[in-house]
Amino acid sequence: MIETLSRGDYEQQRHFGAAGPVSQLAGKTIDAWRTAEPRWSGKYWLFVRAEDRVWSLHPINVTARDKKK
């Protein structure tokens, strides 16, 4: 299942280097994620810590920016 982050949460994670655009990743990684996760928008990734404390990259979706009034 694909995780969806709010734009603010994504920006915070990106600031600390824990998330970013797919342009920073190898093409093989992107292709594998597209195959495995058909609902992925294909734009962003996030480091995720598993229960065994191992960090790994995961594809994520990010919500659209809020419209200013």
Side-chain angles (χ1 to χ4, degrees):
M1 185 170 139
I2 287 290
E3 182 175 354
T4 299
L5 266 63
S6 70
R7 177 62 58 175
D9 288 344
Y10 167 75
E11 292 295 339
Q12 181 181 23
Q13 293 297 322
R14 186 173 179 193
H15 176 77
F16 291 107
V22 295
S23 61
Q24 298 174 330
L25 304 177
K28 287 183 178 183
T29 301
I30 297 166
D31 292 342
W33 284 353
R34 283 193 175 128
T35 301
E37 300 288 354
R39 293 184 298 148
W40 179 47
S41 67
K43 296 180 182 179
Y44 306 103
W45 58 267
L46 174 71
F47 272 115
V48 177
R49 183 176 158 181
E51 290 180 19
D52 62 2
R53 296 184 177 180
V54 174
W55 290 86
S56 59
L57 288 173
H58 288 267
I60 59 166
N61 290 329
V62 176
T63 59
R65 295 184 195 279
D66 291 334
K67 293 182 181 179
K68 294 186 178 185
K69 294 181 182 183

